[in-house]
Each structure stands twice: as C-alpha cells, then as structure tokens.
Amino acid sequence: MTLLREEPGCATPEPTEPAEHPSRGGASGFGPRQLLAALPAALRKLHPRHQLANPVLFVVWVGSALVTAFAVAQPSVFSVLVAVWLWCTVLFANVAEAVAEGRGRARAETLRRAKRETVARRLTAEGTEETVPGARLRIGDLVVVSAGEVIPGDGDVVEGIATVDESAVTGESAPVVRESGGDRCAVTGGTTVLSDRIVVRITSRPGESFVDRMIGLVEGASRQKTPNEIALTILLSTLTIIFLLAVLALQPMAAYSGSTQSVIVLTALLVCLIPTTIGALLSAIGIAGMDRLVRRNVLAGSGRAVEAAGDVSTLLLDKTGTITHGNRRATELVPVTGSTITELAGAAHLASLADETPEGRSIVELCAGEFDLGGRTAEVVLPVPFTARTRMSGADAGDRQVRKGALAAVRAWVADSGGTLPDEVERIADEVARQGATPLVVAERGTGAAVVRGVVRLSDVVKPGMRERFAELRAMGIRTVMITGDNPLTARAIAEEAGVDDVLAEATPEDKLALIRREQEGGRLVAMTGDGTNDAPALAAADVGVAMNTGTSAAKEAGNMVDLDSDPTKLIEIVAVGKQLLITRGALTTFSIANDLAKYFAILPAMFAGIHPQLSTLNVMRLATPQSAILSAVIFNALVIVALIPLALRGVRYRPSTAAALLRRNLLVYGLGGVVTPFLAIWLIDLLVRLVPGIG
C-alpha cells in the first residue's frame, strides 16, 4: 500500500538547526575539510575585480600589495610578516564567502543530478499525441504524463488525478496527490508520476523551471544585496574613508614630532582601524541566511524577502489549505420545509456534475453513494463555473437552472427571479456556520420563481497544533489575520478554534489587497501565505509572500518565497531565520567595531611612545616592542575572521523577546565581548611574536 504524505504538512516543533537530508547537501558545520575545499575558490577571489565589490576589503588588498612591494624592496622580518598576514586577512575573508557559496553549490549539484532531460507527449490541436523533447515545450502546451514517467516541465494539472514523487525537489520520500481543480494542481518539472494519468498545461519556459531557478538561487549566482546590506556597506565604506584620511593626516603630525612612520606601519594601522571583520563576513552572512531557508525547504526569491521576514508585524493567512486541511467535503444535506432530501440531492448533484473542485466532487460522491444518483443525466448540461464575484456555480439543463453558493449570493439570485429566501434557510446556515462548517445553499428555478432546496454542509478541519504555533507568533509580536471567503459565522468559529487574532470574512481578492495596503500604510510589514490563484495579487503586494508548493503556478510566481513542504506554519521558522539574519549582522558589526578599541591600544602607543614616553601608560597589555605590538594586532585582525566564520554561517541564536532585551543582550555579549576578547588575544599572540628574531 502506498503511504501518502499529509498535505499541507502539520505543525512540528521548531528546530534549532534542522538536520540535512540527502537532497539538500552536506552538513551545516564548519571544519578543516570545508576550509581546505574552499581555498581554491578563495584564491581565485584574490583578483582585484572581485575585491572591488567590497570597498573595505579592496582597501586591505591595496594595502597588502603596497606592503608587499616595500617588503621586496627593503626586506625585513617585520615587513615580510606584516605582508603575509595582510594577505591572510584578504584570503580569510574570501574563505568565509567561498564556504558559504560552496554549501549552496553542493545543494545545486544534487538538484542537477535529479534534473533529467525528458521526452514529452504533447497533445496537438486535433487531440492526438506527438513526442517532442522537453526543451521544445512552450507555455500553454498540454502534455500527457502516465505512471512511471517524469513530468517534463512546471505546470498545472488540467485533467485527472495522480500520485507524484517529489523527493528530488522536497526531499520527502512520501508521494503526494496532484489533481485538476482546486489548489493542488501545480506540478514541478523533474518529478515523477507514480500512478494514474494526468494532463498538464506547461507554465514555464525551458531553462526557467522551478528547479532551474532553485539551482541559481542556492548557488548564490542570483543573490543581490539587500537594502540593509547596501546601507551597511555604505556605512563601512564611509568609515574606511574617514580612517584613511585620519591615517594620512598622522604622517605630517609624526614628521613634525620627529618620528616619521613607515608606510608598512601606517598600512597596518589603517587595516586594523577599518571594520575589516564585518566587511569580510558581510557577504557570508547573507548567503548563509538564504542557505538556512533552503535547509528548511523554503526557496526565497531574494535576500530582501528574508530580511523583511525578520521585521514582519502582521501575518495574513488564507484559511483553506493553510489553517485548515483545505479539502472541505460534503458531509450532510439539510433540506428546507417544502423540499425533500431527494430533491435537494438531485439539485446538488446536477449543480456539481461539472464542478472539478474537491468540494464539488465530494458533493457528487455523497449524492451518488447515499441517494443512488451515480449516473450522468441524460440532459444536456451547461456548466456555470464559480467566480469570485458571483460566488456561485451550478449548471443549466434545458429550462432548469440550478445554483449552489454562499447564502448572500443565492439570496440575490433567488430575488432576481421574483422569489424569496425562507427564514429557515438562514437559520440552518447560521447553525452550520456556528459549528465551524461551511453552508452551501442550493436553489433551482424553471420557468417560474427560484426555489431554495436546502443547505449542503461542507466540513473543514483545522490542522493540529495551529493554536500553539499562533501563540509563538504572538510571542514574537506578530498579529495574525485569517482571510477567508466563508461567511462571518463560519470564519469566526474556525478563527477561534485556530487561535488567530483577527479574521476577514467573505473576502474578495480586492478585500485582501485593501487590507494589506491598510496595514502597510500604518508602517507595518505584512506577510501573506496562500496557495490559490485568487491569492496571487495579495502575495505579490505583501512584503513577504509565501506560496505553498502544493498551490497553483500563479501563486508561486506571485510570492517571493515558496514553501516546498506546503506547511503554512513554516512562516514561524521563516520569521525566525529573518530575525536571526538581522541579529547576526548586528552582533558581528557590534563586535567588529568594539574590537577596534583593543587594536588602538596596541598600535597607537607603539607608534608614538618613542617621542612621547607618557603614551607608554596606554600600553595596558604590556606588549614587548612596537613591532611586536603592531604585528600582533595584524595577526589578530586576520585570525578573528576565521574564528567568526562558524558564527556567521550558523547565525546568532534567536529567542522571541522584545527589541530592548535583544539590544541589551547584543551589547553585553558582542559589545563587551568585542572589547575584552581582543585584549586577551593580542596579549597571547604577543607572547609568541616576541620570540621571533628581529621582532621581540
């Protein structure tokens, strides 16, 4: 028996660092093996064209080249060692970026192995099949895929139902169900059909499939700097220019005092003054943030979305398929006075014959199973599809018109024919809604006024663990709003059971957009999860739009993130990763600026103690000689980058708390630690450096 994966996934405890599975590459740790593997790429990044992208490291690169020239022209132990460690500073910065990129390339290679060139069975205009290479498929083509065949491209199922193996993309071994209609029709190229036969409408061009884009993103090739990253780069560049001017101004002052400093000493001072630590790790922090999402089976379209997730204050959740399991099923028929249950079943069956949604199919199954209405009617049936504006669907068979839909929509349709909606219908609908189900009113009319036959109960089930997950979001300061097309009574019942903060009922796509704009006008960042085509406009307008992988292609194109597990509660982890990215960048920036203080106390007294003996009191570390002090600071400046690479890749652990508490923790741990640690480290390095002949 085939075991199917529950879709979308139920809530699971938030992992501190999720384990890797084979489809997502290697381990997340950092060790000597990864360091050695990253060295070739790090050496290639020493090219000045690459260094120009990082102003801070470019200054270090120029300083290294300048000191190297002086070391060759006037060799000494001091000049050679300073040149070597300055190049190590640039190299270690490249290693940090190369390690982060290498982890992404490993995941991309796994995806490439899973991607295969396929042959597609394309349907012609005449309805016949023709065999064509998958690379020749175009948007809108219809292809047939049967059991055992690979889906040749991204698309939507327009006919049939099948189980699909998506392990090549999601890493989950359990197959999933894909069917026409509803919000589980999207399929991904490269996945395999395990049973039955489906017809897929292609929605992507060759080379632009979901897997192709995923490969580009995890490799980091399409990663662009985020606004915060750009702002921090500008700040670091400004500090570099200020310190460069300050160091250039020191030479005239030193000459006036009779103690001209060498270019080597001035360069070492400049490199130790500018924020090289955060400048070296900035790119690795951003790449690692994207990588942490990939390891959680979330594909982010840009680093901007990851950062925005860290600042989200309002979360909009689509009810069907997100908070609830999504496949509402007809569980009961409730006729009104004057109509029999058989008449209600006949009308509901006729209205649903052409309805390919899961709800429509469930009504047909209920009527066929309990009221022996399994056969197709002999009448010519013209289907009337559901639209977001009419909020009804049904069918016309000769003079007979049957509609099913929301209470308000059916009331208006009945009134248009001169009929009236019995009070009993509203009572039944209210009772069904209070019980958390969805009432679907069925009415029909012939040559006269429309007649209401009764109500179909559609039952929806809230996913387990939702209340606890929403409590976590509330602890993060995030307000949750459930959006649904259901009537207010049903919506409130589901909202109360799930534990959301607010609800927007009978929502149209325009209502969702209006709500997002109202929230954004108040200065709040909005996140939205959804899976249907009608969610696409809201997903596009939200600051963070998370589309479910089970959803339609339109939803996945509109969102800036795709959850491969189709677990809407995954947004909690997405928010945590976003906050972790921001906190990590802030923590390492604080540490980088704070540890400059120790380097000031190491280098400045050493430079001028000879002409101003009173400056020797500032040599609190009691460093042996001016040369050992300067060299020790340069060595620490290089080694601290390597020491912080694991933290940049892993990220600072995030705990839900207030901004004030996070700031205090940041200043205490990374501010104070950034001051104390270098004093101890430089003192220990000096103990070793003073043993080198020509230095001590």
Side-chain angles (χ1 to χ4, degrees), residues 462-514:
V462 174
K463 295 177 182 176
M466 293 301 295
R467 178 174 288 275
E468 292 76 12
R469 296 293 244 174
F470 288 136
E472 290 182 45
L473 287 170
R474 201 171 295 111
M476 293 180 183
I478 298 174
R479 173 173 167 264
T480 53
V481 181
M482 185 184 79
I483 300 178
T484 176
D486 290 340
N487 65 73
L489 286 174
T490 301
R492 279 195 290 271
I494 295 292
E496 183 177 350
E497 182 181 353
V500 297
D501 297 319
D502 203 353
V503 62
L504 177 65
E506 296 184 341
T508 63
E510 293 80 6
D511 293 332
K512 298 177 186 179
L513 281 175

Side-chain angles (χ1 to χ4, degrees), residues 331-350 363 366-373 400 424 428 442 444 452-457:
T331 56
E332 185 183 5
L333 301 178
V334 185
V336 298
T337 303
S339 293
T340 65
I341 194 169
T342 303
E343 290 174 327
L344 171 59
H349 182 265
L350 179 62
I363 293 174
L366 178 66
C367 296
E370 295 190 14
F371 302 98
D372 195 24
L373 296 173
R400 188 184 182 193
E424 183 185 6
I428 295 172
V442 179
E444 67 172 295
V452 177
R453 293 299 182 190
V455 175
V456 179
R457 179 195 296 268

Side-chain angles (χ1 to χ4, degrees), residues 330 348 352 359-367 404 440 456 458:
S352 306
E359 290 86 354
R361 290 172 180 166
S362 72
I363 293 174
V364 173
E365 291 173 6
L366 178 66
C367 296
K404 57 181 173 64
L440 202 62
V456 179
L458 297 178

Side-chain angles (χ1 to χ4, degrees), residues 1 6 62 76 94 101 221 341 421 449 508 625 673 687:
M1 181 176 67
E6 184 177 297
V62 173
S76 67
N94 293 341
E101 291 177 348
I341 194 169
L421 193 76
T508 63
T625 65
L687 294 179

Side-chain angles (χ1 to χ4, degrees), residues 335-625:
V336 298
T337 303
S339 293
T340 65
I341 194 169
T342 303
E343 290 174 327
L344 171 59
H349 182 265
L350 179 62
S352 306
L353 278 177
D355 188 347
E356 290 298 320
T357 65
E359 290 86 354
R361 290 172 180 166
S362 72
I363 293 174
V364 173
E365 291 173 6
L366 178 66
C367 296
E370 295 190 14
F371 302 98
D372 195 24
L373 296 173
R376 292 275 178 175
T377 177
E379 300 172 288
V380 177
V381 177
L382 299 177
V384 177
F386 176 88
T387 67
R389 295 193 177 278
T390 63
R391 298 175 57 77
M392 289 190 308
S393 64
D396 294 340
D399 293 333
R400 188 184 182 193
Q401 297 178 329
V402 184
R403 299 291 184 271
K404 57 181 173 64
L407 177 66
V410 174
R411 179 192 289 115
W413 185 74
V414 170
D416 286 344
S417 67
T420 58
L421 193 76
D423 294 338
E424 183 185 6
V425 175
E426 295 196 27
R427 180 183 58 77
I428 295 172
D430 289 347
E431 180 62 26
V432 170
R434 272 193 294 270
Q435 295 172 4
T438 301
L440 202 62
V441 181
V442 179
E444 67 172 295
R445 69 184 178 194
T447 56
V451 177
V452 177
R453 293 299 182 190
V455 175
V456 179
R457 179 195 296 268
L458 297 178
S459 298
D460 208 351
V461 180
V462 174
K463 295 177 182 176
M466 293 301 295
R467 178 174 288 275
E468 292 76 12
R469 296 293 244 174
F470 288 136
E472 290 182 45
L473 287 170
R474 201 171 295 111
M476 293 180 183
I478 298 174
R479 173 173 167 264
T480 53
V481 181
M482 185 184 79
I483 300 178
T484 176
D486 290 340
N487 65 73
L489 286 174
T490 301
R492 279 195 290 271
I494 295 292
E496 183 177 350
E497 182 181 353
V500 297
D501 297 319
D502 203 353
V503 62
L504 177 65
E506 296 184 341
T508 63
E510 293 80 6
D511 293 332
K512 298 177 186 179
L513 281 175
L515 177 59
I516 290 175
R517 293 194 180 101
R518 284 198 304 270
E519 294 288 329
Q520 291 172 333
E521 287 170 0
R524 292 177 287 272
L525 292 186
V526 180
M528 165 90 183
T529 63
D531 53 6
T533 301
N534 62 337
D535 295 324
L539 287 171
D543 300 283
V544 180
V546 183
M548 302 295 102
N549 190 40
T550 55
T552 61
S553 298
K556 290 195 283 188
E557 288 292 335
N560 49 25
M561 290 188 187
V562 177
D563 177 17
L564 302 181
D565 294 331
S566 297
D567 178 6
T569 61
K570 184 75 69 65
L571 192 67
I572 296 174
E573 295 178 34
I574 295 173
V575 170
V577 169
K579 290 184 180 295
Q580 187 180 40
L581 174 64
L582 297 176
I583 292 171
T584 301
R585 187 181 296 149
L588 293 182
T589 301
T590 302
F591 184 89
S592 177
I593 295 174
N595 70 31
D596 286 342
L597 183 61
K599 290 179 280 186
Y600 302 159
F601 277 90
I603 296 180
L604 290 176
M607 290 175 61
F608 297 104
I611 57 175
H612 299 291
Q614 59 270 29
L615 287 177
S616 60
T617 58
L618 296 178
N619 186 13
V620 295
M621 289 174 280
R622 295 296 180 258
L623 305 178
T625 65

Side-chain angles (χ1 to χ4, degrees), residues 310-334:
D311 289 327
V312 161
S313 55
T314 302
L315 169 61
L316 310 183
L317 293 154
D318 182 55
K319 177 185 76 73
T320 305
T322 303
I323 294 177
T324 63
H325 281 292
N327 277 353
R328 297 178 301 177
R329 298 191 61 82
T331 56
E332 185 183 5
L333 301 178
V334 185

